Amino acid sequence: MYPTIPQVKHFDLTNGSTVFKLNDHPKVTLRSERDDPRLERHCRRAYPGMDFRREIGGTGYALHISSKDSLVVELTDEELTALAGHKEGYLLTVQGSETSIRAMDAAGLFYGMQTLLQLMDQNADLPDLTIIDYPDTACRCMNYDLRQTHSTPEKLVSYLADFARYKVNAVLIEYEDKFPFAAYPEFVHPKHALSEEQFKELQRMAHEYFIEIIPLQQCFGHLEYVLRLDGYKHLRETEKSTGEICPSRPETYALITTLLGEMMDRHPNSRYIHLGCDEVYSLCECMICQERYDGVRERAFISFLNRLIAFAVSRGKTPIFWHDMLHKCPEEELKHLDSRGVAMIWLYNGRNIEAETTELFEKFSRIGLKVMGAPAVRSFDGAEHQNYPVIVNRVDNLLQWTKAAEKLGIDCMVATNWTGPFSLGVPYGIFETTWYLMLLHADLSWNRWSDTGGYMDRFLSVFHGISPEVAHGKIGSYRIEDYYEIIWRLLDEVHKNKEYAELIGVMRGFEEATDRTPAIHKYAYRWEMYPGDAAERRSLLNQYQRNRRGREKVRPRMMTTLERYQPVDMAEHYVKSRFYLHDYLERTLYHEMGMTMDD
C-alpha cells in the first residue's frame, strides 16, 4: 500500500500494466450535484495547467482527470452502494491514463482529491488502483489556544489548509483576549488581538477548506483576562479567585451572555458554542453562593450552566462544556442538568482512559446527555516547560482514546493543544512542534484501525519526504514514540517541511545546552564544602563555562527560529521564559561565586 495520512481504508491494486501519469495539460471534468465554487477553485490550485470543464447536475459529485477528452458519468449502483451512509467518503480509481473520484457530497470529493495529491506527490506514476475511503469520526477537530504565545494570524490562517489536506474538518478556537470584542473593548489585547480583516480571513479560509470553526468562550473559570481588571474584580468568586467568576452576582450573567452572544453572532456557520466551564477551583466558596446553594458545589455549577445552555440553545447553537466539574457529581444533582448541552470529556493521562471514559459516558447518557472526546497532543504532563510535547504520554493518550471512541461510538474528537496552563502561566511550547501528533490524531480519527506501527514511516514519507529505506538506513529501528529523538538527526534527508524539523533541532539544542545546570548546583555544593580548594573550584568552573557557552550559542538561534512563526514580542517572551532561571542564577549565585568565562 502507498503511504497516506490518514491511512485509507480499502486499497486495491489491480493487475493492469499501465500507469497513470499527469501530463502538463490534463483534461479535468468536474460534475457537481449542486454548484459549489470551492471545488473548482481547489481543482485550479491542484492542476494549474489543466483544460477544465464544469458540469452541474446528476447525483453526487465526480472529478475525472485524463489525457484525452472523456465524459463523467453518473455514479453506478455499485458505487452508490459502496458510498451509501458514508458522509465525506469517496471512491478513487486509477485506470490506465485516467483517474476519477466519486463522492456523495462536496467534502468527500475534496478529501478524495487530497488522497490523490498525496499519492502523486510521492509517485510520479501510479498503477491501476481502487480506493474506497470514509471517516470513522464525523467531527475531526484540531485546537487553537490563543491564550499564551501563538503563531501569527497569517500562520493560523494558512494552517487551516494544511489541516484539510489531512481530512480535518473542524478547529476549536479559544480566542480569549485575542477576539475583537465590540461590547467590551477593554477585554481586547492591545497588540495581539485579531483585526477585523484577520478574523474574516480566518473564517473565509475555514469555509474554503470545509472546516467548521467551533468558538470557545470561557464562562465560569479561566477568566483571568476579565477578572484581572479593576472594574471586574468584584465579580470574582473570592478575592483570591483570579480566574473564577461568581455565578450569584447579578452582573455575571449579563456579562457572560453578552460575550457569548457576540461570539455566536460572529460565527454564524458554526453549529456549536463551547462554554468552557472547566477547572472552576473556587466554586461555591463565597458566602452568597454557599447560602444560595447550601454549600453544594455541583448544585451551584449546574444552576449557572443550565442558564448558559438555555441561552445558547435560544440562539440556535448546541452548547458544549468541559466535563471535569461534573466528574464526581452525585446522580441526584446531575439529574437536574439540562440535557441539551454536550459534555466534552478531557482525559489526558493514565492507563485506563477507556474505562474512565466508559464510566463517564454511561453516567451522562443516563440523563440523555451527548458526549464528545478530547485527548491532548500537548498538555501539562508534569512539565510546564515543554519545548515539544511529552510524546510518550501523548501517543499513549491518542491510542487509548481511539479505542474508547470506537467502543462508545463517540463522533467528535478534539486534539487539544494547550499553549500553557492558563493565561497567567508560562508557555508550554511552540505550536509548530506538534505536527507529528496532530497528524496522528487526524489519522486515527479518520481511520480508527490505522496501522499505528507504521505511522512513523508514513509521516516521514508524507510530511517530510523521507522514504522508510532512507530513514531506517540512517537511524536503524525506531518506534512511534521516537519522532523527537530522530528528526533532528535526519535534517539532511528532509525534503518537505524542513523548517519544522529545524525548529525541533533548535529546541533539542537548547535542552542539551542547559541540562548541565543541575550539575553546576552539585559542584557549587562541593565548593561550599571545600572552600579554597583549587581542584574543586576548577571542576565547578568547568561545568559553569560549558553550560554558559552552550546557552549563549543557542539563544540567538532560538530567537531567530521562533520569529518565523510568532510575533517578535511573543518570541521574546517565550525565549525569556526558557532562559529566565539561568539568567537569574547568572545575576545571583554565579556572580556571588565569582564565576567568569575568563579563568
Side-chain angles (χ1 to χ4, degrees):
M1 183 184 292
Y2 291 80
T4 59
I5 297 177
Q7 188 173 46
V8 300
K9 283 192 168 61
H10 305 287
F11 186 107
D12 294 313
L13 287 173
T14 59
N15 295 322
S17 59
T18 58
V19 295
F20 174 77
K21 184 174 183 177
L22 196 64
N23 60 30
D24 292 336
H25 299 286
K27 298 182 183 297
V28 177
T29 302
L30 170 68
R31 171 172 284 182
S32 303
E33 181 178 293
R34 58 179 64 87
D35 190 20
D36 191 326
R38 293 175 294 182
L39 293 176
E40 179 176 344
R41 290 194 292 268
H42 287 303
C43 284
R44 293 192 181 279
R45 293 187 190 102
Y47 315 110
M50 66 181 175
D51 294 331
F52 182 78
R53 181 175 61 195
R54 184 175 66 167
E55 302 172 355
I56 305 297
T59 300
Y61 295 74
L63 179 68
H64 193 82
I65 306 170
S66 176
S67 58
K68 59 185 179 182
D69 288 323
S70 60
L71 295 176
V72 177
V73 298
E74 291 278 344
L75 287 166
T76 67
D77 291 340
E78 183 180 359
E79 291 168 345
L80 286 169
T81 300
L83 295 174
H86 296 303
K87 187 178 179 182
E88 300 184 346
Y90 63 91
L91 170 66
L92 168 61
T93 60
V94 175
Q95 187 171 16
S97 61
E98 300 177 312
T99 185
S100 65
I101 305 170
R102 312 294 180 88
M104 296 302 294
D105 50 42
L109 188 67
F110 172 75
Y111 294 137
M113 289 178 62
Q114 305 317 301
T115 296
L116 179 61
L117 291 170
Q118 274 194 35
L119 293 173
M120 298 191 68
D121 185 49
Q122 301 171 76
N123 308 275
D125 305 324
L126 288 177
D128 290 357
L129 57 84
T130 300
I131 292 173
I132 300 174
D133 200 18
Y134 48 85
D136 288 329
T137 309
C139 182
R140 308 171 299 281
C141 189
M142 295 300 180
N143 174 214
Y144 282 164
D145 174 17
L146 306 187
R147 298 174 301 166
Q148 280 278 350
T149 59
H150 56 75
S151 310
T152 63
E154 294 75 18
K155 291 286 186 185
L156 295 174
V157 168
S158 70
Y159 293 153
L160 296 177
D162 294 325
F163 291 159
R165 291 188 186 101
Y166 303 101
K167 303 181 176 65
V168 169
N169 65 356
V171 58
L172 174 69
I173 305 182
E174 183 165 1
Y175 295 95
E176 201 178 66
D177 58 352
K178 312 311 185 302
F179 186 79
F181 290 110
Y184 290 95
E186 61 268 40
F187 299 159
V188 179
H189 195 285
K191 294 184 65 175
H192 296 301
L194 299 176
S195 68
E196 283 297 322
E197 293 75 17
Q198 290 165 340
F199 179 75
K200 290 177 181 177
E201 181 62 11
L202 189 70
Q203 290 194 311
R204 187 196 70 79
M205 187 67 98
H207 178 262
E208 182 74 3
Y209 284 90
F210 298 90
I211 288 177
E212 178 177 6
I213 293 178
I214 302 174
L216 191 160
Q217 173 57 53
Q218 289 286 0
C219 297
F220 220 147
H222 290 296
L223 284 165
E224 291 84 6
Y225 73 103
V226 172
L227 300 177
R228 70 187 300 168
L229 303 177
D230 289 340
Y232 298 90
K233 287 181 180 179
H234 66 286
L235 296 180
R236 296 178 181 180
E237 178 70 10
T238 69
E239 191 278 331
K240 296 179 180 179
S241 308
T242 58
E244 293 90 53
I245 204 163
C246 176
S248 297
R249 299 183 184 276
E251 292 175 60
T252 296
Y253 181 76
L255 168 66
I256 296 300
T257 52
T258 300
L259 297 177
L260 275 178
E262 188 168 345
M263 191 69 71
M264 289 188 283
D265 289 344
R266 299 298 301 277
H267 293 85
N269 296 322
S270 177
R271 295 167 291 172
Y272 303 103
I273 179 70
H274 201 306
L275 308 174
C277 297
D278 60 316
E279 299 180 327
V280 190
Y281 297 118
S282 60
L283 179 64
C284 205
E285 289 186 2
C286 81
M287 295 305 297
I288 301 174
C289 287
Q290 285 191 18
E291 182 175 345
R292 176 172 294 180
Y293 302 109
D294 298 323
V296 180
R297 288 164 55 85
E298 293 85 0
R299 190 174 302 167
F301 182 80
I302 289 173
S303 175
F304 190 58
L305 178 57
N306 280 347
R307 297 177 71 190
L308 301 175
I309 290 172
F311 177 75
V313 170
S314 74
R315 303 290 289 268
K317 302 292 187 182
T318 298
I320 305 168
F321 60 91
W322 299 117
H323 88 284
D324 56 291
M325 296 307 298
L326 299 175
H327 195 127
K328 300 183 183 300
C329 182
E331 297 279 353
E332 59 268 23
E333 297 295 338
L334 189 63
K335 68 182 181 181
H336 298 294
L337 180 63
D338 189 333
S339 62
R340 293 176 295 178
V342 178
M344 183 170 282
I345 299 174
W346 62 277
L347 295 172
Y348 296 160
N349 288 288
R351 295 298 310 153
N352 299 297
I353 298 296
E354 183 178 334
E356 291 182 51
T357 304
T358 299
E359 182 181 353
L360 287 166
F361 181 91
E362 293 174 349
K363 181 177 182 177
F364 291 135
S365 296
R366 283 194 289 271
I367 63 166
L369 202 69
K370 293 183 178 179
V371 167
M372 295 176 174
V377 299
R378 183 174 56 203
S379 63
F380 176 55
D381 277 328
E384 191 165 352
H385 296 281
Q386 300 175 40
N387 296 302
Y388 39 79
V390 181
I391 191 169
V392 173
N393 293 357
R394 297 304 101 229
V395 167
D396 180 64
N397 189 239
L398 290 169
L399 295 179
Q400 287 194 68
W401 258 109
T402 301
K403 292 180 180 179
E406 171 67 20
K407 173 184 175 181
L408 302 171
I410 296 176
D411 221 14
C412 176
M413 295 290 286
V414 179
T416 56
N417 195 340
W418 303 117
T419 60
F422 65 125
S423 60
L424 302 183
V426 175
Y428 285 155
I430 306 303
F431 181 85
E432 286 77 9
T433 65
T434 64
W435 281 107
Y436 180 77
L437 291 160
M438 286 195 293
L439 296 199
L440 178 58
H441 171 73
D443 192 52
L444 293 170
S445 58
W446 179 275
N447 183 356
R448 291 171 182 158
W449 301 101
S450 174
D451 174 22
T452 54
Y455 174 73
M456 174 82 87
D457 285 340
R458 286 189 288 121
F459 182 86
L460 292 177
S461 180
V462 172
F463 193 76
H464 286 308
I466 307 174
S467 70
E469 294 77 17
V470 169
H472 286 288
K474 183 164 185 177
I475 302 298
S477 62
Y478 47 75
R479 299 182 301 174
I480 190 173
E481 302 93 346
D482 294 337
Y483 175 71
Y484 297 112
E485 292 294 324
I486 71 170
I487 189 58
W488 57 276
R489 297 163 59 190
L490 291 168
L491 278 175
D492 291 341
E493 287 73 31
V494 172
H495 298 295
K496 296 189 295 185
N497 296 308
K498 190 167 187 173
E499 64 274 19
Y500 303 137
E502 291 172 340
L503 171 63
I504 292 167
V506 169
M507 296 304 175
R508 176 83 182 188
F510 165 79
E511 293 177 354
E512 290 178 348
T514 57
D515 66 1
R516 294 190 183 92
T517 298
I520 296 175
H521 301 161
K522 295 176 184 177
Y523 288 99
Y525 165 69
R526 289 190 60 85
W527 173 244
E528 187 171 307
M529 287 177 61
Y530 303 103
D533 187 289
E536 293 287 349
R537 178 171 176 79
R538 184 69 262 174
S539 179
L540 169 61
L541 195 58
N542 288 345
Q543 294 294 325
Y544 165 78
Q545 291 175 344
R546 290 193 196 104
N547 183 274
R548 184 171 172 182
R549 276 194 296 269
R551 286 188 283 119
E552 290 179 348
K553 182 179 180 180
V554 79
R555 190 195 306 250
R557 289 183 59 214
M558 182 183 286
M559 185 64 198
T560 300
T561 302
L562 292 185
E563 286 178 351
R564 297 178 185 175
Y565 309 107
Q566 298 182 341
V568 174
D569 58 339
M570 279 195 177
E572 289 174 344
H573 168 52
Y574 184 88
V575 172
K576 185 174 182 179
S577 75
R578 268 38 187 181
F579 284 89
Y580 178 79
L581 176 60
H582 307 289
D583 292 343
Y584 177 78
L585 293 173
E586 194 70 47
R587 296 192 305 268
T588 55
L589 178 64
Y590 303 153
H591 177 75
E592 292 174 5
M593 296 174 64
M595 296 290 99
T596 73
M597 298 300 290
D598 300 328
D599 293 352

